[in-house]
Amino acid sequence: MKQKFLITRRHAIFAGLTSAGALLLSGCLKKLPPTYGNLLRMGDNLTYLAQRGLLSPKALAMEYSKSDISSFPATGNTNPADPAIKASYSKIYQELQKNDFKDWTLSVEGSVAKPGKYMLGDLKKLGQRTQITRHTCEEGWSAIAEWTGVPLGLVLQSAGILPDARFVSLYGYDNYAESIDLTDAFHPQTILAHTMNGGNLPIQHGAPVRLRVETQIGYKSVKYLQRIVVTDKFVDPAHDVDGGWSWYTGI
Ligand SMILES: Nc1nc2c(c(=O)[nH]1)N[C@H]1C(S)=C(S)[C@@H](COP(=O)(O)O)O[C@H]1N2
Ligand SMILES: [Mo]
């Protein structure tokens, strides 16, 4: 599924080599991604440098108006409760679904002063943001939707993020996982979305709560959120780097 992405990415790498060289020389060395040094992950250096070197960390991804909202394919896992999935998480997700996700909690762990479980109501009280954005999948399609959710930065603040914190790993009920750095975690458009186009987030799009990282490509936006772990070291929870995927996929 992510294969095509790698090829198009390679083209982008060659196209961007000269400008990246210039960026490197212009003193952006401290802004290198944690995958720096891995020859197969040179694409990360380029997109990371371009974003971290040229944009303010709070620069917003493009937002659209309601008339731009489009149909929205569902990809990857579209129903963790599918009985055909023989993994233990399938039963757990079925139970949550039976009760309309009222028993759903998000566990916040790691480098935080107050680790613990948040119910959806607890999260909503922290603050909310609504944004109409474009999702771009590595398979080559994109779609626009309106998302409402709780900024991840507010959740991390509320949990008392510790000074040694550097990365955030997010795990879904289907064992899918991704990690992002604190710049993306505290980006104003990085939200834990519970509402899509004004209604509860549908199962196929990650119910009850999914991540939206609008500064990166679609596969970073973990659906079916279960657990967030703040770490002081770089973690690649889904082994993207070993599997030949980009860890940083800035758009
Ligand atoms: N938990 C989980 N999150 C996931 C995936 C998945 O399979 N499981 N697929 C990813 C990919 S590749 C994309 S493009 C988007 C798809 O989101 P959508 O199904 O709402 O279109 O979710 C991402 N997050
Ligand atoms: Mo994707």
Side-chain angles (χ1 to χ4, degrees), residues 4-232:
K4 283 182 196 157
F5 173 62
L6 203 62
I7 295 159
T8 50
R9 207 77 208 158
R10 290 258 158 83
H11 289 295
I13 291 167
F14 287 118
L17 269 179
T18 19
S19 51
L23 276 173
L24 272 168
L25 291 174
S26 66
C28 291
L29 278 166
K30 59 185 181 297
K31 293 180 176 169
L32 289 167
T35 47
Y36 179 72
N38 181 333
L39 281 181
L40 294 172
R41 297 275 50 87
M42 277 172 64
D44 288 18
N45 301 343
L46 292 163
T47 55
Y48 198 88
L49 273 167
Q51 296 246 338
R52 297 287 190 269
L54 298 175
L55 298 172
S56 126
K58 303 283 182 215
L60 295 185
M62 172 107 160
E63 293 197 9
Y64 297 80
S65 59
K66 282 209 192 275
S67 60
D68 297 316
I69 291 173
S70 69
S71 66
F72 208 109
T75 54
N77 200 343
T78 53
N79 183 9
D82 185 341
I85 302 173
K86 301 247 177 312
S88 54
Y89 69 71
S90 190
K91 269 237 135 10
I92 299 169
Y93 192 81
Q94 277 169 26
E95 291 302 314
L96 289 174
Q97 200 184 335
K98 262 188 213 153
N99 201 13
D100 270 339
F101 299 107
K102 285 190 183 70
D103 304 321
W104 176 88
T105 55
L106 177 71
S107 178
V108 182
E109 306 162 19
S111 296
V112 291
K114 295 169 283 176
K117 294 196 167 166
Y118 286 74
M119 294 177 63
L120 187 51
D122 304 330
L123 292 175
K124 284 182 175 169
K125 276 185 221 146
L126 298 175
Q128 314 243 25
R129 188 181 203 279
T130 294
Q131 59 206 32
I132 301 177
T133 50
R134 181 189 294 274
H135 176 101
T136 303
C137 170
E138 82 291 349
E139 290 172 323
W141 56 270
S142 73
I144 295 174
E146 182 188 71
W147 308 97
T148 301
V150 184
L152 174 57
L154 294 180
V155 178
L156 297 175
Q157 257 162 16
S158 160
I161 188 163
L162 296 173
D164 68 355
R166 288 187 58 213
F167 296 94
V168 180
S169 293
L170 302 106
Y171 296 83
Y173 271 96
D174 59 350
N175 292 341
Y176 189 99
E178 282 291 347
S179 66
I180 56 176
D181 66 11
L182 286 195
T183 304
D184 273 337
F186 278 90
H187 187 278
Q189 287 168 319
T190 300
I191 61 173
L192 308 183
H194 49 73
T195 298
M196 179 184 188
N197 297 331
N200 286 344
L201 185 64
I203 302 277
Q204 70 266 31
H205 294 299
V209 179
R210 77 175 299 164
L211 178 68
R212 292 294 315 160
V213 195
E214 308 296 0
T215 48
Q216 292 201 55
I217 209 147
Y219 68 72
K220 300 298 282 193
S221 287
V222 181
K223 307 195 282 186
Y224 316 109
L225 280 178
Q226 177 183 35
R227 204 155 69 92
I228 290 181
V229 183
V230 182
T231 59
D232 56 350

